[in-house]
Amino acid sequence: MFDAERLSEHVRILSDDSFEGRGIATPAEDKVIRYLSEQYAAAGFQPGGPNGAWTQDVVLNRFTVSHPSATLSVGDWSQAIRPGQDMVFSTRLPGSKVDLRDAPLVFVGYGIKAPERQWDDFKGQDMRGKILVVLVNDADFEEPSLNTFNGRAMTYYGRWTYKYEEAARQGAAGVIIVHEAAPASYGWATVNNSWSGPQFDILRQNAAAERIPMESWMQRDLAVEMFRHAGLDFEALKVQARSRDFQPVPLTGAKLSARFDVASEQITTHNVIARLPGTTHPDETILYTGHWDHIGIGDADANGDRIFNGAIDNASGTAGVLELARAFGRGPRPERSIVMISFTAEESGLLGSEFYAANPVYPLATTVAGFNLDAMNVYGRVENLQVVGMGQSNLDERLQAAAALQGRPITAEANPAAGSYFRSDHFPLAKRGVPMAYADGGGAFRDEPKAEREAASSDYGARRYHQADDEWSPDWDYSGMIEDLTVVYAVGLDLANSRDWPAWKPGSEFGPMRERSAASRR
């Protein structure tokens, strides 16, 4: 049903240098839209965007920082910051520049305010005009037995997006996230590559209330030195930050001066949407999603390569969505509609999916369920089907039954502390109540040479994720990816020909939102 040669050819084309890393709102975007719409049409799908178009306009603000300079000081000690090496700076607050002078610093632990968990890192103290120094992830990463934030499985409170959002609610002037590779689940190179280019945000009615002037990350070693000069022990404070009793700790005498110019402009990028209308219930929708964008063109690596091709992330998932469309298009027309969405601006913070979820073309109340594809397995068959966010909805049992036909059990993601559930395009839909599944292969490889397959997979995570080296290879093995596609196709097809409505499980934070629209489903 799914063909490895077609998958490989989709990935090869979409990650070719001529697509220039699939940066949004660049000439490359037009090439992506043309390719995807042609492929969806060839699969038998219709334009699924507003007014019979293949695309949905996604209007964003783009912020480009230039000429950053900063100085960190504590008493008599000071250090000129090397942008990209010591810290990275950005903003998503409209304006022509950011100019912070001698802003005081305060350590606020994980920077979390979660009343339902009886947790408040701010304790009512005034954070206005201050730079908040925060840790990556949440308190349970270092001590899972606390089980305050679901143990080692990251909650949304651990995401960098949340840290900046909460700082804005506190009235802070900026945030410094101290980068540590383990709790972040990626190295400094990923931070630098992701934050050194333009940043994007959806249009906001009151951006000043929702965004802070300075968003930044700092290398851990510099943070430790800064704390030491302020008479503080970074590691000891990390331990204190795991407690509900933690109190904000001013870095006495510590100040940051930072200035950078900001070019702010409004741009329009596009979600690509294709639809196969259902025969008897066309107003009810099954979604398949995956983002088409990547980082674009950035700083040259050691080989002089500036194009971030994004072959695995996420030309692979985009290829999977195209192949799913072909499978649905050549089979009997299902009773419910099938909608494929190739989202834009995932790399900018899930903004394409956030925009769609806030402005749905097809009502979310009658969106039955969805399946997200991101960075798929191109190294061969594996033992398990890994369900990211397992335990959230009863889609788990449907995936389990389909995977069992392949002799594979389902498992939770191997590293829930990485917060993958909050890092891909299913999340904006899930938080609005749509049951969404994000599943791919996991566990040990089943075919020889196993060691070589594992080494290649590990190498991608260690050296090529969000790097210019994420390039297509003619040697990839798509057999595992095909098994994963077969599972999500089977589950979606079954739902498309049923009157079933998947539900969130008791205790899921997304269940109450779904319940509000229960009358729309019959």
Side-chain angles (χ1 to χ4, degrees), residues 21 42 60 155 177 187-188 236 267 305 322 342 398 419 431 446 506 517:
L60 304 175
T155 65
I177 300 177
W188 180 257
I267 60 101
D305 191 352
L322 292 176
S342 297
R398 293 176 178 271
K431 73 181 182 182
R446 288 151 61 192
S517 61

Side-chain angles (χ1 to χ4, degrees), residues 221-382:
D221 288 349
L222 177 57
V224 170
E225 186 176 7
M226 174 179 71
F227 275 67
R228 182 174 61 81
H229 282 284
L232 301 169
D233 184 323
F234 178 75
E235 287 298 325
L237 285 173
K238 279 185 64 177
V239 174
Q240 292 180 31
R242 300 173 202 166
S243 167
R244 284 189 172 93
D245 298 328
F246 170 81
Q247 295 279 340
V249 179
L251 275 69
T252 304
K255 298 177 181 178
L256 179 74
S257 293
R259 190 190 189 288
F260 45 86
D261 295 327
V262 182
S264 180
E265 61 181 319
Q266 195 173 108
I267 60 101
T268 300
T269 181
H270 304 85
N271 291 327
V272 182
I273 307 177
R275 181 173 184 255
L276 187 69
T279 56
T280 57
H281 300 285
D283 57 334
E284 299 172 0
T285 302
I286 310 293
L287 286 181
Y288 288 91
T289 67
H291 71 94
W292 63 256
D293 67 304
H294 198 54
I295 294 171
I297 297 176
D299 295 334
D301 65 8
N303 300 317
D305 191 352
R306 299 180 58 229
I307 298 176
F308 288 69
N309 304 79
I312 291 177
D313 184 16
N314 186 35
S316 66
T318 302
V321 174
L322 292 176
E323 271 291 272
L324 284 162
R326 192 190 63 82
F328 277 106
R330 76 174 189 173
R333 185 72 62 90
E335 297 173 11
R336 287 165 156 168
S337 295
I338 307 296
V339 171
M340 307 288 175
I341 309 181
S342 297
F343 285 123
T344 185
E346 189 269 357
E347 301 290 2
S348 303
L350 314 183
L351 297 183
S353 55
E354 179 68 29
F355 188 92
Y356 179 87
N359 305 276
V361 179
Y362 306 99
L364 300 187
T366 52
T367 298
V368 179
F371 305 87
N372 187 56
L373 307 180
D374 196 350
M376 300 194 75
N377 168 25
V378 295
Y379 301 110
R381 299 188 308 155
V382 288

Side-chain angles (χ1 to χ4, degrees), residues 127-145:
M127 299 295 157
R128 288 175 296 178
K130 297 176 182 177
I131 305 293
L132 310 186
V133 182
V134 303
L135 300 170
V136 179
N137 215 304
D138 56 44
D140 288 7
F141 177 83
E142 302 287 354
E143 195 172 342
S145 60

